[in-house]
Amino acid sequence: MDTTQLLKGVLDLAVLAVVDAEDGYGYDVLRRLRTGGLTEVGDASVYGTLRRLYASGALTSYVVPSDEGPHRKYYGITTTGRAQLKQQRDDWDHFSATVTGLLQGVAS
Amino acid sequence: MTESLTAVRPEVVDFVAAVRARLTDLSEDEREELVGGLEADLTELVDDRGVDALGDPAAYAAELRAAAGLAPGAAKVRVPLGVRLDAGGALWARLVDRDKARPVWDFLVALRPVWWVVRGWIAVELLDLFWGGRPYNVLPSITDGVALGVPLLVAAVILSVLIGRADVRRTPLRLAVLAGNLLAVGMLPYVLDTVEFRASDDGGPAYAYGWQEGYNQAYQETDRQRGVVPDASEGLAFNGRPVINVFPYDARGNLLSGVQLFNENGEPLALNKLMATEERQTITYPWLRSGAGVWNVFPMPVGPWVDAPDKGFRDDSAWFGTTPPTLPASPVTEVRPVSLPKSAR
């Protein structure tokens, strides 16, 4: 299966992890995801995810005014978000270990 | 983390506007949640990857919806005219941003207030051209004189400047201003061509016309006084029309020739030399006495038309040419005899 399908499943996790590391605005989060290796991720998907996470309370947002150009909307993680991040990280570890184990089992 | 303080590019503004246009089914808050801050982020994206990285706003909006967990929007969205105007403006900005064009455009932009004044003037001049009468001067006069034109011009210029300085947002108004500007630019050559650019004191073409008329009349008058051009009111006339020739008959009805006529004061009944032509077909020539023309002797010989009016309508050499003037045939076919009562003899 292509990476976009895989990505959809873990995008929430990835975004939460990035924001947890450091608060960021939309493009900043996107850039960090890209440099982290997720080159296929779509811009709009990241923005949409940020918005959904904010709506669900996992993220908070605040605006940083600037003298030149428009204001920046920064996202930060909330307690709820940290809890969700931990839960999803554990799920992922468990899931990926299971799949890896299955593959090794089949291969051998 | 570096914070780049870049100004927002026009292409980004239009892209975001187009994305907004496809999220109109959402509430203002929801839309703002999705799209707020997008301009700054996309500007940075364009800085990194170029304008082409923006892609299709429709696809972007769809992806945004999906990732945000919202229902997909309508398949075909009518792009508002305001967004199209923005897109046109962005395209122009891009065209003008090229190296060669930039200085020229910056210069023209500096002249923008001049344009405000000029378009106000054009508007009032157009009124003058369509409703006022000639002459068309720099100061418009709708009716006779500039009493109405100048205040109208001042008002138009003020209005033009106000419009120029206003921040027009609503689409119908933007369209109106754009149409007005295009109209003014389009009419500029016509107005410049028709308006007379000279100091309005001398009244323009009406003055020139009057001056020429006066000159012509004075010239003719002096010619008359010098005897070069005969006075049209002189000479033998009948029923208000000048006489061109006279055909005398005797009592028995015979056509006479060489008849010299005088009036009751002894004045010779001379023809008007100026009028002694048959509408450019023939000319009458006077009988001569010691070489000089005598204008009361009839009938006058007739010759072909000669186009030499400055010689007094006559050319003496006609007598010696191949076709000298001849006595014309009488226009009267039958002249019945007349007689006096017996006692008058």
Side-chain angles (χ1 to χ4, degrees):
Chain A
M1 73 182 107
D2 67 302
T3 40
T4 36
Q5 289 291 354
L6 287 170
L7 211 47
K8 278 193 182 127
V10 299
L11 194 52
D12 283 15
L13 175 57
V15 168
L16 280 172
V18 164
V19 177
D20 181 46
E22 191 179 353
D23 289 3
Y25 55 92
Y27 188 64
D28 179 38
V29 172
L30 177 66
R31 209 171 20 204
R32 277 190 269 161
L33 287 170
R34 288 252 166 86
T35 48
L38 292 179
T39 50
E40 309 269 318
V41 67
D43 309 343
S45 299
V46 173
Y47 289 117
T49 304
L50 283 167
R51 193 254 171 216
R52 188 160 37 79
L53 290 171
Y54 171 78
S56 68
L59 293 179
T60 177
S61 81
Y62 53 95
V63 175
V64 174
S66 74
D67 294 327
E68 305 171 16
H71 305 329
R72 291 260 191 226
K73 189 180 203 176
Y74 279 78
Y75 290 95
I77 199 162
T78 61
T79 333
T80 318
R82 282 202 191 86
Q84 190 176 330
L85 175 59
K86 183 176 182 313
Q87 179 66 56
Q88 289 190 359
R89 182 178 278 144
D90 291 344
D91 288 346
W92 166 258
D93 287 341
H94 179 75
F95 185 74
S96 67
T98 310
V99 172
T100 310
L102 271 172
L103 289 172
Q104 284 173 342
V106 172
S108 57
Chain B
M1 167 186 15
T2 51
E3 171 102 35
S4 65
L5 300 171
T6 46
V8 180
R9 290 168 178 269
E11 305 94 337
V12 170
V13 171
D14 291 331
F15 186 86
V16 173
V19 170
R20 276 185 201 271
R22 281 166 177 77
L23 301 175
T24 49
D25 55 324
L26 304 174
S27 72
E28 181 76 41
D29 288 338
E30 274 182 329
R31 196 162 54 244
E32 195 53 40
E33 273 302 314
L34 280 175
V35 174
L38 200 58
E39 273 152 350
D41 289 349
L42 287 179
T43 305
E44 207 170 324
L45 185 145
V46 168
D47 285 341
D48 280 353
R49 292 191 257 147
V51 179
D52 300 318
L54 283 176
D56 177 29
Y60 196 93
E63 198 179 328
L64 202 53
R65 280 178 185 272
L70 297 166
K76 189 166 165 53
V77 172
R78 216 193 70 229
V79 180
L81 189 54
V83 174
R84 287 199 196 278
L85 281 178
D86 290 333
L91 179 65
W92 177 256
R94 212 179 314 181
L95 283 173
V96 141
D97 206 12
R98 295 174 298 186
D99 283 337
K100 294 275 175 64
R102 187 90 233 175
V104 177
W105 181 246
D106 285 342
F107 181 76
L108 289 176
V109 167
L111 289 182
R112 186 172 280 160
V114 176
W115 168 244
W116 294 339
V117 173
V118 169
R119 74 178 175 191
W121 177 76
I122 289 174
V124 183
E125 279 293 337
L126 283 175
L127 279 180
D128 186 16
L129 288 170
F130 289 133
W131 277 300
R134 296 195 135 263
Y136 303 119
N137 293 322
V138 176
L139 293 179
S141 53
I142 312 297
T143 55
D144 296 319
V146 297
L148 184 60
V150 170
L152 213 59
L153 177 64
V154 172
V157 167
I158 290 177
L159 184 66
S160 173
V161 170
L162 286 177
I163 290 174
R165 294 196 47 173
D167 184 21
V168 182
R169 285 295 170 93
R170 297 195 45 225
T171 307
L173 292 175
R174 289 174 69 186
L175 278 176
V177 172
L178 181 63
N181 270 329
L182 288 176
L183 182 70
V185 169
M187 290 309 243
L188 184 62
Y190 170 69
V191 171
L192 285 179
D193 201 37
T194 316
V195 169
E196 308 283 337
F197 286 99
R198 64 166 70 91
S200 57
D201 287 283
D202 66 358
Y207 171 82
Y209 177 74
W211 189 88
Q212 188 65 42
E213 274 295 295
Y215 179 83
N216 289 345
Q217 285 179 13
Y219 194 85
Q220 286 165 5
E221 189 57 43
T222 46
D223 271 355
R224 244 188 301 274
Q225 289 171 6
R226 291 201 318 241
V228 173
V229 174
D231 189 348
S233 61
E234 290 180 348
L236 194 60
F238 180 64
N239 284 345
R241 288 178 298 134
V243 172
I244 305 238
N245 216 339
V246 178
F247 293 89
Y249 283 75
D250 67 7
R252 291 215 195 90
N254 301 319
L255 179 60
L256 300 174
S257 136
V259 172
Q260 307 183 43
L261 296 178
F262 299 85
N263 71 354
E264 71 280 5
N265 295 325
E267 296 164 296
L269 283 176
L271 291 191
N272 185 321
K273 298 177 214 171
L274 183 64
M275 299 301 168
T277 68
E278 288 271 13
E279 284 300 318
R280 287 183 177 247
Q281 282 168 11
T282 54
I283 311 180
T284 56
Y285 288 78
W287 293 66
L288 302 174
R289 181 184 297 135
S290 311
V294 185
W295 292 83
N296 65 328
V297 187
F298 302 105
M300 294 181 107
V302 166
W305 166 260
V306 171
D307 205 3
D310 52 307
K311 292 193 176 183
F313 282 68
R314 301 294 178 271
D315 189 350
D316 293 341
S317 61
W319 293 108
F320 313 103
T322 47
T323 52
T326 52
L327 286 173
S330 168
V332 183
T333 45
E334 192 204 338
V335 176
R336 297 211 311 256
V338 294
S339 61
L340 286 170
K342 282 202 170 54
S343 60
R345 252 184 256 243

